[in-house]
Amino acid sequence: MSHPDAPAPVSGRPVVLRGGTVLTMDDSHTVLTPGDVLVVDHHIAAVGRALEVPEGTQEVEASGGIVMPGMIDTHRHMWQTAMRGYGADWTLTQYFVWYYLEHGRTFRPQDVYAGNLLSAWDALEAGVTTTVDWSHGLQTVDHAEAAVDALQEVPGRFVLAYGNIQAGPWEWATDKAVHAFLERRRTGAGDLLGFQLAFDVTGDPGFPERAAFEAARELGLSVTTHAGVWGATNDDGIRLMHEHGFMTPETVYVHAATLGTDSYQRIAATGGSVSVSTESEQSAGQGYPPTWQMRRYDIPVSLSMDTSVWWSGDLFSAMRTTLGADRSREHLEAHARGETVTHTHLRAEQVVDWATRGGARALGRNDLGRIEPGARADLVLIKNDRSPVSFPLLNPYGHVAFQAQRGDVHTVIVDGRVVKHEHQLLGVDLPAVRRTVEATVEHLRAELGQEQWSRGMNPELPAGDEVLDNPYQYTEFKSDSTHGARGSVFGEPGSGR
Ligand SMILES: [Zn+2]
């Protein structure tokens, strides 16, 4: 039995998670309370109660915790994690200016490497065992090599979605050097690394993106595309894709927030799925998080975080904000009709499904996102005996969606290998990662100069943000000087309360 300082499991030996609440996410969403999960080599060997295990199996005490499939993020610009938090107050406008027009070019291969390395560990630490690296900063093949090098240094499951915002997709996706790179890095990459092509469809009637879709088809890769992004991509792009026969079940439409009925029906009819990035859509301006639309058209959903230049890199936030946005809209619309919502449509169980099975489906991986014998062993144990938030554990889906956070991720297993144990990532040299990222930040800051750097981080406030006239008059109140205000509910300093 493990205890607070149990040694980390040794690679190559079977592992059993004992006595947790197991959210299997199988086809009937079976929940075992409690249950065991046995991992042998790369797969889940057994799920059940009081499992008999092979000799030498390492035990992880999961009682009081939740065992769930590893989470899957279908859209994350990992290279941008090198600029973590820099764009917290941006809209899409500042983002486009910064990355697309002005400064994306200043990223060298080692900077893409730095961002990816940090982002990959960030994902694993939060129990995101599969991440699609929507890598649109690959200006040269050297950048792409660096991106993959970083992903392969971290023991997670990753999909490099190859992209390059500095050139048209009809240019880079048909480049022989890019094809040679993809062939080379796919060969022998194993099950932990996959590839997609990542590009957007502008709606140009000439449909220049056709060449890129044909390249993807030739390479046998699926396409992921930002679709339905206010001011950037619209129904024309979807229509062109459909008319030319490039909408397939494995196509992933990111955001899909501002499309019309016709586009949603084309997506639904061709079997594609939508990657919803609620935390992103809520503040950047792609459009309202579209889960309510997905429900109407019966389009499969996966979740994603988009970019840590603004937002978090954990899917707990994605699940939470997605529930909040969907319910908020439902209430707001009802109130506008003078009605009251008494039963919400979107449930915690559904967002846990999207964070696991939904991602697996989007990537065509039926052996991920579920805890069943024969599935790949990507698992998360949420358990934190030191936290008052860990009990009572009454509604496990609700607990995952609204109560848990990355600090509660106790154990993470990817492809049968324990990569986080007792809340500690295994095999990471975080000081070295930090130095790598600091060198990138230093380079970018030097390229921009201090003034531009500061201006980029602090966009101007629009004018006209005035407080309305109020017929009632406050006395002795100033909203900007409430510190130390009279009438504080706390005692005066030194009053000996
Ligand atoms: Zn994106």
Side-chain angles (χ1 to χ4, degrees):
M1 283 294 173
S2 70
H3 52 83
D5 289 308
V10 180
S11 250
R13 282 168 55 191
V15 179
V16 65
L17 303 171
R18 284 277 192 213
T21 295
V22 181
L23 305 182
T24 66
M25 306 314 291
D26 63 10
D27 289 345
S28 32
H29 283 198
T30 307
V31 178
L32 295 172
T33 47
D36 303 342
V37 180
L38 174 66
V39 172
V40 177
D41 295 328
H42 304 293
H43 295 89
I44 293 165
V47 184
R49 296 198 168 83
L51 290 179
E52 300 226 6
V53 299
E55 206 178 312
T57 298
Q58 306 165 93
E59 306 247 345
V60 175
E61 176 59 53
S63 61
I66 297 171
V67 180
M68 64 181 284
M71 288 170 269
I72 298 172
D73 183 323
T74 51
H75 154 241
R76 189 181 300 199
H77 307 294
M78 294 175 74
W79 61 294
Q80 297 177 350
T81 304
M83 296 288 291
R84 185 192 294 290
Y86 179 88
D89 294 323
W90 282 357
T91 62
L92 273 185
T93 303
Q94 282 98 26
Y95 174 77
F96 286 145
V97 168
W98 211 93
Y99 277 107
Y100 285 62
L101 300 180
E102 293 183 13
H103 307 307
R105 271 193 198 90
T106 57
F107 278 72
R108 304 160 299 176
Q110 61 262 48
D111 304 318
V112 170
Y113 172 88
N116 272 27
L117 190 66
L118 180 60
S119 183
W121 283 115
D122 174 342
L124 272 198
E125 211 258 343
V128 180
T129 51
T130 300
T131 309
V132 173
D133 178 19
W134 220 102
S135 195
H136 55 357
L138 306 182
Q139 307 168 63
T140 69
V141 169
D142 286 344
H143 287 75
E145 302 276 8
V148 171
D149 287 346
L151 299 181
Q152 290 197 310
E153 273 179 41
V154 179
R157 202 180 291 281
F158 300 101
V159 174
L160 182 86
Y162 195 113
N164 175 9
I165 44 177
Q166 306 298 342
W170 51 90
E171 297 165 331
W172 61 259
T174 55
D175 183 343
K176 293 262 183 303
V178 170
H179 288 216
F181 161 83
L182 289 166
E183 297 294 349
R184 187 167 63 251
R185 298 303 295 247
R186 282 166 89 182
T187 307
D191 202 59
L192 290 176
L193 183 65
F195 291 87
Q196 292 180 322
L197 291 192
F199 57 88
D200 298 342
V201 181
T202 59
D204 176 342
F207 194 48
E209 296 85 1
R210 168 202 277 278
F213 281 106
E214 281 169 350
R217 191 173 279 173
E218 186 189 319
L219 291 160
L221 299 178
S222 59
V223 170
T224 173
T225 186
H226 292 111
V229 173
W230 179 259
T233 55
N234 59 31
D235 293 314
D236 291 334
I238 297 289
R239 182 179 47 75
L240 286 162
M241 282 176 69
H242 193 238
E243 285 172 359
H244 290 85
F246 292 117
M247 290 179 76
T248 60
E250 54 278 359
T251 308
V252 177
Y253 305 86
V254 176
H255 303 306
T258 49
L259 295 172
T261 293
D262 190 63
S263 291
Y264 290 124
Q265 288 178 337
R266 289 180 202 256
I267 294 172
T270 52
S273 64
V274 166
S275 175
V276 176
S277 307
T278 305
E279 210 174 322
S280 167
E281 288 134 19
Q282 283 184 319
S283 68
Q286 297 92 340
Y288 203 90
T291 47
W292 60 287
Q293 296 274 34
M294 302 302 108
R295 197 158 51 239
R296 292 171 73 196
Y297 297 102
D298 195 21
I299 296 172
V301 173
S302 62
L303 300 182
S304 58
M305 293 313 307
D306 203 347
T307 169
S308 287
V309 74
W310 269 280
W311 304 292
S312 71
D314 66 89
L315 289 189
F316 298 112
S317 305
M319 290 187 271
R320 198 167 299 172
T321 52
T322 299
L323 280 169
D326 195 283
R327 292 174 178 180
S328 176
R329 184 181 178 104
E330 197 169 15
H331 290 299
L332 190 67
E333 290 196 329
H335 297 177
R337 299 189 301 266
E339 294 170 5
T340 300
V341 175
T342 57
H343 298 73
T344 52
H345 276 92
L346 187 59
R347 300 303 166 98
E349 182 171 347
Q350 182 66 68
V351 295
V352 175
D353 179 287
W354 288 341
T356 54
R357 290 170 64 100
R361 190 204 171 283
L363 299 178
R365 291 292 304 255
N366 259 340
D367 57 345
L368 300 178
R370 59 180 70 207
I371 302 178
E372 279 182 310
R376 286 273 166 175
D378 291 7
L379 296 165
V380 172
L381 168 61
I382 296 165
K383 172 182 156 99
N384 189 350
D385 292 339
R386 295 188 191 91
S387 167
V389 182
S390 62
F391 60 89
L393 179 46
L394 307 176
N395 174 343
Y397 294 112
H399 209 97
V400 170
F402 278 131
Q403 305 296 322
Q405 51 182 311
R406 72 160 62 227
D408 302 321
V409 173
H410 175 286
T411 296
V412 179
I413 298 177
V414 181
D415 214 43
R417 173 175 173 185
V418 178
V419 299
K420 185 182 183 185
H421 182 62
E422 302 277 6
H423 304 279
Q424 298 292 323
L425 285 171
L426 303 179
V428 62
D429 182 352
L430 218 45
V433 177
R434 181 194 293 266
R435 284 192 298 276
T436 304
V437 171
E438 280 173 354
T440 283
V441 170
E442 215 165 282
H443 162 73
L444 296 172
R445 198 200 301 255
E447 285 287 308
L448 263 66
Q450 188 54 44
E451 199 199 321
Q452 271 220 51
W453 174 270
S454 301
R455 260 194 293 134
M457 187 155 41
N458 302 293
E460 279 174 40
L461 265 181
D465 203 8
E466 284 169 16
V467 176
L468 296 178
D469 278 339
N470 185 341
Y472 308 100
Q473 296 301 314
Y474 295 111
T475 51
E476 296 184 29
F477 172 82
K478 267 190 181 158
S479 64
D480 61 352
S481 60
T482 49
H483 300 288
R486 266 177 273 176
S488 166
V489 295
F490 297 105
E492 292 297 316
S495 64
R497 68 198 145 95

